[in-house]
Amino acid sequence: MSKADTNRMMFLVSIVARGKGKRYINMVAEKNIRMNLQSVGHGTATSEMMDILGLGTNDKDVVISVATQKDVSALLSELTKNLEGSVRYGGLLMVTKLSAINRLAAEVILRSRTESAEKEETRMTKGEGKFNLILIAVNEGFADDVMKTAKKAGATGGTVIRARQVGAELLEQFEEADLQEEKEIITILSPTATSGHIISAVNEEFGLRSAAKGVVCAVPVERALKI
């Protein structure tokens, strides 16, 4: 792996049990992943499914991180080695590529790396291109209905994050637009084989021309593992 590859920036979405976010951030910080943002969310999987997966409560801490591929590879290698057959944080980690990041932020991340990060690298190829992270932003109050539609199209579960919209003037071109500031973001990890069905079904019923005023997009996930 070339130096350019190891310094490539990666985007991580970690969804862990409520109350474990701080401990998880402390753990990844020790692996030189120090640019982290924490929010809260609520899982949509049934209690029976949560018990089967061993993921515990539906209440979630959501951690969004940016780091170099080298540090992410080291983290994944450590998690795979030490968490085999167990779930320490009661959640899921998803990794995808960043297509761009402002230069100063990248420099801060690179300078924060320590000599302890100079370990043998492992390529993130397992499961590459097999999953998508679907992101659905709708007006407040529509998350449950969106998930019902998504599950009918093949989704097994998701996580809901509360948010507030900025730049609502972009939707003013739609005369019927209900420009609510309060939003719900539904995140769904889906195999690529079913992602298209989920996106089409949700967009047809909850798209921008509906009362939900939904925006739907998806990004490829390079790795996904229980944590």
Side-chain angles (χ1 to χ4, degrees):
M1 185 182 297
S2 68
K3 183 176 181 180
D5 287 336
T6 62
N7 286 341
R8 185 179 63 173
M9 295 297 159
M10 309 297 291
F11 184 75
L12 295 80
V13 178
S14 306
I15 301 173
V16 302
R18 181 69 57 83
K20 294 188 177 182
K22 184 176 181 180
R23 182 158 63 93
Y24 176 75
I25 289 175
N26 290 338
M27 184 273 292
V28 299
E30 293 177 355
K31 307 299 181 184
N32 301 298
I33 299 176
R34 299 191 175 96
M35 185 170 284
N36 303 290
L37 297 173
Q38 181 176 343
S39 184
V40 296
H42 185 78
T44 63
T46 63
S47 58
E48 292 84 359
M49 180 61 67
M50 299 294 286
D51 291 340
I52 292 172
L53 296 176
L55 297 181
T57 175
N58 267 334
D59 293 323
K60 300 295 180 182
D61 287 341
V62 180
V63 180
I64 296 174
S65 312
V66 179
T68 65
Q69 177 166 331
K70 185 172 185 178
D71 289 331
V72 173
S73 295
L75 172 66
L76 292 176
S77 178
E78 185 74 13
L79 287 174
T80 302
K81 179 176 64 176
N82 292 337
L83 300 184
E84 192 69 33
S86 66
V87 180
R88 182 177 300 178
Y89 299 98
L92 184 70
L93 165 62
M94 294 165 282
V95 180
T96 186
K97 299 177 183 178
L98 274 181
S99 59
I101 186 172
N102 53 319
R103 185 176 64 180
L104 182 57
E107 289 179 354
V108 168
I109 293 172
L110 289 172
R111 289 178 183 177
S112 71
R113 303 183 75 252
T114 65
E115 293 183 358
S116 63
E118 301 300 321
K119 301 177 181 178
E120 182 179 358
E121 300 122 12
T122 57
R123 286 187 178 271
M124 295 186 296
T125 56
K126 183 178 180 181
E128 184 172 358
K130 294 184 178 180
F131 291 90
N132 284 322
L133 175 61
I134 301 174
L135 302 170
I136 307 165
V138 294
N139 281 344
E140 187 177 30
F142 284 90
D144 289 342
D145 292 333
V146 168
M147 277 309 308
K148 289 178 182 177
T149 297
K151 287 181 177 179
K152 289 180 181 179
T156 57
T159 300
V160 181
I161 306 170
R162 309 293 176 182
R164 175 170 292 179
Q165 178 172 307
V166 295
E169 63 274 6
L170 292 174
L171 300 181
E172 290 178 354
Q173 57 184 302
F174 298 95
E175 294 181 359
E176 72 276 20
D178 180 8
L179 302 180
Q180 294 184 16
E181 288 188 353
E182 300 303 320
K183 297 291 182 178
E184 294 171 327
I185 300 175
I186 303 98
T187 66
I188 300 172
L189 180 66
S190 168
T192 54
T194 57
S195 294
H197 300 295
I198 295 171
I199 292 170
S200 295
V202 170
N203 185 60
E204 181 177 354
E205 191 168 350
F206 302 99
L208 276 174
R209 295 189 181 278
S210 73
K213 297 297 174 287
V215 177
V216 187
C217 64
V219 293
V221 174
E222 292 202 345
R223 285 288 300 270
L225 68 157
K226 290 166 62 177
I227 56 175

